[in-house]
Amino acid sequence: MDSGGHGGASLKYAPRVADETDDSLDYPGFLQDALRDMVRRVLAHVAENGLPGEHYFNITFSTDYPGVVIPAFLRDQYPEAIRIILQNQYWNLEVDDRAFSVSLSFAAARHRLTVPFGALMEFQDPAANLGMAFEPGRVAGYAPPEPEPDPEPTEPAKPASVIPFPRKRPK
């Protein structure tokens, strides 16, 4: 097999159309799971060691996937999907078996995002000429958490009051 000079194996697979009674192996699903795990491993490496060289990541994910945590203004602006870039200004990248979390700057303020790997739609590393597309959804051995209910509204904050101080009198 031609490895393209990178020491890897190439993959050739032409899926056949399955029917309701199909008992074949789910190669497309297995492949999606393996590629999501590769993204998890890459992000874990970067969380520990930082981004090497000219590498950076374009990550597109479904914003309405269960377990995605993003600020409300982003969910309103991007109700279906959003692309984030991990390059120069990202903070506190954390990765576990199910999701990654990262702080990014939006509108001059840092916000924390949590993205389950099942929400991934695309992962790209342009410096490596690498791009992968995913179908959001099934991840082997993972059931997305139930969405948390919206918190109860709190009382509006009382306006600040000014405390007058007597003027200092000259002595």
Side-chain angles (χ1 to χ4, degrees):
M1 267 189 246
D2 180 5
S3 63
H6 297 288
S10 64
L11 175 67
K12 293 183 181 180
Y13 173 68
R16 63 184 179 83
V17 178
D19 62 23
E20 294 279 327
T21 62
D22 192 6
D23 61 353
S24 64
L25 294 171
D26 180 17
Y27 285 112
F30 296 154
L31 186 57
Q32 291 270 313
D33 292 345
L35 292 175
R36 280 189 176 94
D37 188 58
M38 185 180 87
V39 171
R40 182 195 59 77
R41 292 172 60 187
V42 166
L43 292 176
H45 177 85
V46 169
E48 188 171 321
N49 303 298
L51 276 167
E54 300 297 314
H55 293 274
Y56 67 97
F57 306 137
N58 296 322
I59 302 171
T60 305
F61 61 92
S62 170
T63 56
D64 60 357
Y65 187 83
V68 168
V69 178
I70 59 175
F73 76 91
L74 284 179
R75 192 174 306 276
D76 292 343
Q77 191 172 357
Y78 303 97
E80 295 178 8
I82 188 173
R83 173 177 286 176
I84 60 172
I85 299 171
L86 299 187
Q87 187 172 15
N88 297 320
Q89 295 189 359
Y90 67 92
W91 299 270
N92 304 318
L93 176 61
E94 296 176 347
V95 181
D96 65 29
D97 290 341
R98 297 179 182 219
F100 70 93
S101 297
V102 66
S103 296
L104 297 173
S105 182
F106 296 96
R110 286 187 191 174
H111 297 276
R112 189 86 175 146
L113 287 70
T114 299
V115 181
F117 291 109
L120 291 179
M121 298 170 74
E122 293 180 343
F123 178 87
Q124 300 170 341
D125 181 350
N129 197 26
L130 174 75
M132 295 180 279
F134 301 94
E135 292 178 34
R138 185 181 78 78
V139 177
Y142 172 64
E146 291 295 319
E148 294 182 18
D150 290 334
E152 294 295 320
T154 58
E155 287 185 32
K158 295 179 182 177
S161 57
V162 177
I163 301 173
F165 288 98
R167 289 191 178 155
K168 199 172 192 180
R169 296 183 185 160
K171 292 185 181 181

